[in-house]
Amino acid sequence: MRKLATKLKESLHKNPPPSGVVSEPPLSPKISDSTLYQYRKQRGVNFGSWFVLERWITDQPYRFAKAPGQSDLDIACGANARETLEHHWDNWIVESDWDWVSARGINAVRIPIGYYHLCGVDSSVLRGTAFEDLDSVFSGAWFRIQKAIETAGRYGLGVLIGTLDLHAAPGKQNKDAHSGTSDPPTFFSDRYSRDHTTRVLCTLVKSLKDHAASQTPPLTNLIGIELLNEPAPSSDSALQSWYTSTIKALRNIDPNIPLYIGECWRTDQYADFVERSVSSSPLVLDHHLYRCFTDADNSTPVTEHTRSFTDPSAHTPQMFARVSEKLGRAGGGIVIGEWSGGLNPGSLTGKQGEQGDYVRAQLALYEKHCAGWFFWTYKKQWVGDTGWSMRDSVGGGVFPDRVGLQRRGDIIKDEDERHRKRDEEKEQALGEFLEE
């Protein structure tokens, strides 16, 4: 974000040529691939329901699930669980999906995972949890997560995990089934769950760091770790206290990886928290924005929803401008980790192009004030949902066919040629970044 831009611009101009001397244009400063992945504008999509499953996105993995059949735990306790899950993991996202995403100009993916998906690298993550004794069901997930990061790297895509995104924490951090179980949440009332989640995140960061270093060349495309998805704390002080201790523990393992934190839709308060926090690398607020889940949203016409993004004096643009400025001073940023074109039918009039206007208004706002965005979600089992499926949204002309920088040509298979082409595109991206 701002601190990096300032540093790069200073390095370009700290040794200007003497007056009257004609010089070649300055070369771009040396900057690592990992820094570019982490600090560039993230234009991304969520690979929803790949590892943490949601039945409204795909219900095929639930056909043998135990009642009530709404969560990963319900599937794991049903018949044929391992076979069902591994078949889904291997077929929900395949090579052609990575190619499609990359061809749209998307440069990052957010991959929601649960703590139980780490048992293949450390079975102790299941100890004392609802998933204890289910390591045989989930042990194959970690290898596939590693492979996903490697494949993303081949396509020049950054990966946010945890975004990776820790969508499901021990004890469950909110009441939703996408937090792993169909049980009530106990994360904020159970000290063991909070402490164990910190241990799980430490395992995640160490394992990702070790895996990246083990590759030739080392992987550089991990853009961040998200500590918790949509936490619903008993109080802000309880969550912020946990954030503070967990950030400290993770920084002892990797002082450089950006950490993403959910802000409970209290963006100003958590921007203040980031400003007060001490961190060796960026803290990024993850804000989720939807306009279809409340009675007020559902009774508001799409034109008013759109205006709430395009009018500079409206609440949301004002909030983003204020928070972005504050976080920029602190060396952090705000990312829209989830958003969509989904609206309640009561908001739509049937006028041609109204949903596309709504999507483009959001994109313009996020491009202006945010460090990045991730559309929810990449696809659904059932075709035709232009509000929630990026594949269908692009096909229906609602979401732009391309965003950001455009990739030229096909994926290059030759390793040397691919690295040469990557370096050319890195210089182009850096040049555009410095001009902002």
Side-chain angles (χ1 to χ4, degrees):
M1 303 82 167
R2 176 180 301 176
K3 285 186 176 179
L4 178 68
T6 301
K7 181 179 179 181
L8 292 177
K9 290 175 181 178
E10 287 176 351
S11 69
L12 283 174
H13 302 294
K14 65 181 179 180
N15 294 311
S19 177
V21 175
V22 178
S23 65
E24 293 294 322
L27 296 174
S28 298
K30 183 64 176 177
I31 181 171
S32 69
D33 287 350
S34 61
T35 300
L36 272 180
Y37 271 113
Q38 292 167 4
Y39 286 86
R40 68 186 178 181
K41 178 85 74 173
Q42 309 296 345
R43 300 178 177 98
V45 65
N46 284 275
F47 278 167
S49 211
W50 189 5
F51 292 98
V52 175
L53 301 176
E54 300 190 40
R55 193 161 192 165
W56 68 278
I57 297 176
T58 175
D59 71 353
Q60 289 178 343
Y62 291 87
R63 59 190 183 278
F64 300 117
K66 179 182 177 181
Q70 296 298 320
S71 68
D72 287 3
L73 183 61
D74 296 338
I75 295 172
C77 292
N80 306 311
R82 178 170 183 149
E83 295 83 355
T84 297
L85 288 171
E86 291 190 348
H87 180 270
H88 175 76
W89 297 336
D90 290 339
N91 290 279
W92 185 245
I93 300 295
V94 296
E95 194 78 21
S96 60
D97 295 304
W98 294 102
D99 186 68
W100 188 94
V101 166
S102 177
R104 305 279 82 75
I106 296 297
N107 66 9
V109 293
R110 180 174 182 258
I111 305 179
I113 65 170
Y115 67 94
Y116 36 91
H117 293 118
L118 275 69
C119 68
V121 69
D122 181 358
S123 61
S124 72
V125 300
L126 305 182
R127 189 177 303 145
T129 75
F131 287 80
E132 193 162 20
D133 300 326
L134 289 173
D135 56 316
S136 63
V137 175
F138 290 100
S139 60
W142 181 247
F143 164 76
R144 292 166 169 88
I145 292 168
Q146 291 177 317
K147 183 179 177 182
I149 301 172
E150 295 168 18
T151 305
R154 286 197 287 109
Y155 284 88
L157 297 168
V159 178
L160 177 62
I161 292 192
T163 348
L164 288 165
D165 158 57
L166 198 62
H167 232 68
K172 195 176 179 185
Q173 75 276 15
N174 61 42
K175 62 181 177 59
D176 298 313
H178 59 60
S179 291
T181 79
S182 298
D183 301 324
T186 61
F187 180 89
F188 291 102
S189 60
D190 177 33
R191 177 65 180 267
Y192 176 83
S193 292
R194 297 193 300 277
D195 291 347
H196 190 52
T197 300
T198 300
R199 290 191 291 271
V200 167
L201 286 165
C202 288
T203 297
L204 175 62
V205 170
K206 184 180 185 303
S207 300
L208 290 171
K209 184 177 180 180
D210 291 346
H211 178 65
S214 71
Q215 302 300 295
T216 305
L219 297 177
T220 58
N221 63 318
L222 183 65
I223 61 177
I225 300 294
E226 185 164 351
L227 306 192
L228 283 179
N229 177 70
E230 297 182 355
S234 52
S235 68
D236 286 335
S237 60
L239 177 58
Q240 291 176 9
S241 175
W242 181 81
Y243 275 157
T244 298
S245 60
T246 300
I247 289 167
K248 181 178 180 181
L250 297 178
R251 287 288 172 249
N252 288 333
I253 300 170
D254 188 338
N256 300 315
I257 188 71
L259 299 178
Y260 288 59
I261 60 175
E263 35 74 288
C264 314
W265 294 279
R266 292 189 286 278
T267 315
D268 280 295
Q269 292 91 322
Y270 281 81
D272 292 339
F273 167 74
V274 169
E275 197 172 37
R276 296 191 306 267
S277 298
V278 176
S279 179
S280 57
S281 66
L283 296 178
V284 184
L285 286 191
D286 174 27
H287 179 77
H288 296 179
L289 197 156
Y290 298 116
R291 291 289 184 266
C292 56
F293 291 132
T294 69
D295 291 340
D297 286 341
N298 298 341
S299 62
T300 299
V302 61
T303 52
E304 286 301 304
H305 283 307
T306 301
R307 189 196 65 79
S308 73
F309 301 130
T310 59
D311 181 356
S313 63
H315 169 75
T316 301
Q318 287 280 307
M319 184 267 286
F320 282 165
R322 180 175 63 249
V323 167
S324 179
E325 177 70 20
K326 180 178 293 186
L327 292 173
R329 292 195 302 267
I334 181 170
V335 161
I336 311 305
E338 294 183 18
W339 67 282
S340 78
L343 288 165
N344 188 274
S347 295
L348 297 168
T349 67
K351 182 179 177 181
Q352 186 173 4
E354 61 184 1
Q355 193 178 31
D357 291 342
Y358 173 69
V359 166
R360 285 188 293 274
Q362 291 186 77
L363 282 170
L365 181 63
Y366 306 154
E367 288 287 324
K368 183 176 182 179
H369 292 299
C370 301
W373 48 263
F374 293 82
F375 187 89
W376 187 277
T377 183
Y378 169 60
K379 68 176 182 178
K380 292 178 65 178
Q381 175 183 329
W382 308 274
V383 299
D385 191 338
T386 57
W388 292 96
S389 163
M390 178 178 277
R391 292 286 305 233
D392 293 308
S393 189
V394 170
V398 172
F399 193 97
D401 184 62
R402 291 179 182 272
V403 295
L405 298 174
Q406 295 187 15
R407 192 187 80 197
R408 296 184 179 91
D410 297 325
I411 292 295
I412 300 170
K413 303 300 183 182
D414 180 77
E415 191 74 9
D416 292 337
E417 178 64 13
R418 184 167 64 84
H419 287 168
R420 185 190 66 78
K421 190 68 174 176
R422 179 203 61 191
D423 290 342
E424 288 180 1
E425 293 179 352
K426 183 171 73 172
E427 290 293 319
Q428 179 188 0
L430 180 58
E432 293 192 6
F433 176 73
L434 293 174
E435 291 171 3
E436 291 183 353

